[in-house]
């Protein structure tokens, strides 16, 4: 039987695909981070590049309010810039949708998109619309550039043995509504890279169960997870907190000495409403897996 | 009755949508060109940004060989960089497709994409895959950055009254195969911006019937088209040459004094196999329309 997507999984697929195309002979960073990092010849800032797609029936539903769809489309990408320690710059929006869609629905998507950019930063640089056949799912694809101060850049691969693993916010149950209205953690990430300099960072899109192993693997390390410590959204089980996905909180690592009474107090003063929680640590050791988390082709 | 996409048309839709989102307060160029133009702080080059989508059943078919799909996905974007007088840089590939797709088909798409980049320039900076529901059309979305020397940049809006309108190659009948295998006119455009400095330029994606009025409108001018002069692919009528679309040839304008025995000979020496043909001229006057050409929502 031929191998289909659902048998391979997304990470393994991407690993295979990128080998088939010319790649940067002298990249600023390796592949596999939240954004690609590009040197455009500006000495004060590196450029970040990100593309992200949202699919009807997968990331939003036919009856999802269009402004929330647009907000989510922007916020997902902003969350990736946050995860690199960067800030957003230019956005390109591509919408592929059936010809029967009412114009008001598309305008609603752009309006929500615009509200998120007005709040968190970034400009529209271009838009493209194209049709899909009647009955096909609509697809919204966002591409964006960002910038990052070279000393602020934070990759998945910088974790060191013994580093604490922390998360912002509470996890799980995003499907009840947060996945459409979440706040991308740009301010929080900017604070972290200035005050604590995380050794590694990413945003939680597929759940700790998928994303913590990714961060540890990128750092060439194993990890220990304190399941009981994972901060849960009210009404969620540990399994849901680890596996639901679409939390869009920050997952990052710190040397233990950096997490002390003084820095905890500073965080609480800067972000009094947002918990910051140690959920485990990185360790020497082989790649580990956790049950659960969102695989884009498994369902 | 509510207004649907198919009643409005793509250009009018984009005009309405871009007003709903924060835009650059100090843009290098206005909206509506083949690429967005960004000043990243590098004094020797401006950055070009482009996003483009290809949809199954619209831009390729379920039985289209995957390498040709990948070639086309890359070449369409390269053609847009050519149209600005620029060169390609970094590419991001997003593929949204049903979980049943065989991995070999996706690999074929990446392989064709890679062949086109290896031939014409550009590096893969990132890839993303996501699923669409079973039965939905696959969507391939490409985002890319390019660069352009500031003195080479050529917009749609620079045409002047009396300028000649020229096209490269022969037009029409692309659906018979050329739309999957065409050569993006990067070398030709680079030659033109260095030797003739077109006043305005774009690539022909929707057919002269749609695209010439766009170029004239961007330049605030009318136009006269010499229908009999339009270079036709063997076996095509004038209507097909004007309306089929997906030619991916260059459409550009030149002051008449620049098109003389000497410059014609120089072009023929540089590109002996590719005709360059005067098909009309720009004129003072109101916006004009032509019948035909490809509207993404009209069918």
């Amino acid at each position: 039987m031929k191998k289909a997507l659902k048998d391979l999984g997304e990470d393994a697929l991407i690993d295979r695909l990128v080998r088939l195309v010319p790649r940067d002979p002298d990249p600023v960073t390796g592949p596999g981070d939240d954004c690609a990092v590009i040197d455009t010849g500006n000495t004060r800032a590196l450029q970040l590049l990100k593309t992200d797609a949202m699919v009807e029936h997968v990331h939003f539903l036919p009856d999802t309010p269009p402004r929330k769809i647009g907000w989510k489309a922007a916020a997902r990408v902003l969350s990736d810039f946050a995860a690199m320690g960067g800030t957003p710059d230019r956005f390109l929006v591509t919408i592929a949708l059936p010809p029967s869609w009412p114009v008001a629905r598309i305008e609603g998507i752009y309006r929500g998109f615009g509200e998120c950019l007005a709040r968190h930063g970034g400009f529209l640089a271009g838009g493209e619309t194209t049709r899909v056949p009647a009955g096909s799912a609509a697809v919204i694809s966002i591409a964006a550039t960002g910038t990052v101060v070279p000393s602020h850049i934070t990759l998945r691969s910088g974790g060191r043995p013994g580093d604490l693993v922390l998360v912002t916010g509470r996890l799980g149950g995003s499907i009840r509504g947060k996945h459409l209205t979440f706040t991308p953690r740009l301010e929080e990430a900017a604070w972290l890279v200035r005050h604590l300099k995380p050794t590694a960072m990413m945003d939680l899109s597929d759940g700790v169960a998928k994303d913590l192993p990714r961060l540890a693997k990128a750092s060439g390390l194993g990890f220990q997870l304190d399941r009981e410590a994972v901060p849960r959204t009210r009404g969620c089980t540990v399994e849901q907190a680890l596996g639901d996905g679409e939390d869009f909180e920050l997952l990052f690592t710190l040397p233990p000495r950096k997490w002390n009474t003084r820095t905890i107090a500073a965080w609480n003063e800067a972000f009094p409403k947002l918990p910051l929680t140690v959920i485990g640590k990185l360790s020497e050791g082989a790649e580990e897996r956790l049950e659960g988390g969102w695989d884009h082709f498994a369902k």
Side-chain angles (χ1 to χ4, degrees), chain A:
Chain A
M1 201 185 126
K2 279 190 211 160
K3 208 162 210 176
L5 277 176
K6 58 182 187 294
D7 309 316
L8 190 61
E10 191 191 9
D11 293 346
L13 176 67
I14 291 285
D15 280 350
R16 282 170 70 154
L17 296 178
V18 297
R19 293 169 207 278
L20 302 172
V21 181
R23 283 181 291 168
D24 195 337
D26 184 23
V28 178
T29 63
D33 239 295
D34 291 87
C35 301
V37 184
I38 310 294
D39 181 353
T40 63
N42 177 340
T43 52
R44 288 170 305 175
L46 292 164
Q47 188 172 55
L48 302 173
L49 295 180
K50 180 66 195 178
T51 180
D52 182 65
M54 279 182 29
V55 179
E56 192 181 22
H57 303 290
V58 179
H59 303 94
F60 63 94
L61 296 173
D63 64 356
T64 303
R67 284 166 84 149
K68 290 189 176 180
I69 298 171
W71 177 280
K72 179 175 182 175
R76 281 168 60 98
V77 172
L78 293 167
S79 180
D80 283 307
F81 290 135
M84 302 294 288
T87 54
D89 191 9
R90 260 53 174 208
F91 284 72
L92 301 167
V93 178
T94 300
I95 309 193
L97 70 190
S100 60
W101 264 42
V103 171
R105 186 163 169 80
I106 308 160
E107 288 182 323
I109 291 175
Y110 264 76
R111 201 165 272 126
F113 192 85
E115 285 164 359
C116 194
L117 261 49
R119 174 91 169 268
H120 294 288
F123 297 116
L124 184 74
E128 157 107 3
T129 56
T130 191
R131 74 184 172 98
V132 299
S136 268
V139 175
I140 301 170
S141 173
I142 309 292
T145 66
T147 56
V148 59
V149 176
S151 65
H152 286 177
I153 193 166
T154 313
L155 307 177
R156 296 181 181 185
S157 54
R160 284 171 294 196
D163 279 359
L164 302 176
V165 176
L166 296 95
V167 292
T168 59
R170 298 180 189 284
L171 310 183
S174 181
I175 194 67
R176 284 185 241 144
K178 184 186 170 189
H179 77 110
L180 293 168
T181 59
F182 69 91
T183 300
R185 299 300 183 197
L186 282 159
E187 287 176 40
E188 294 81 357
W191 189 93
L192 288 170
V193 296
R194 253 185 244 112
H195 294 89
L196 297 185
K197 272 200 95 35
T199 46
M201 186 155 64
M202 68 186 293
D203 75 327
L204 283 169
S205 54
D206 296 337
V208 165
K210 270 267 175 322
D211 290 331
L212 176 53
R214 283 177 177 150
L215 185 146
K217 184 182 175 187
S219 296
L221 296 171
F223 61 86
Q224 289 153 26
L225 174 68
D226 179 357
R227 294 166 57 90
E228 293 309 312
V230 174
R232 310 197 299 262
T233 307
R234 187 190 296 261
C236 281
T237 64
V238 174
E239 283 66 34
Q240 289 168 331
L242 292 174
D244 280 355
E246 298 216 308
D247 300 301
F248 299 108
E249 297 290 348
L250 296 170
L251 175 74
F252 64 96
T253 58
L254 283 183
R257 65 182 163 74
K258 288 205 178 166
W259 195 235
N260 55 46
T261 321
R262 192 180 55 77
T263 56
I264 293 171
W267 170 271
N268 288 335
E269 195 183 325
F271 304 101
K273 290 177 184 169
L274 192 70
L276 191 56
T277 312
V278 176
I279 63 167
K281 62 178 181 177
L282 297 178
S283 55
E284 302 277 6
E287 185 181 344
E288 294 182 54
R289 281 166 177 275
L290 287 168
E291 289 300 308
W294 174 259
D295 191 298
H296 294 214
F297 292 109
K299 292 177 189 179

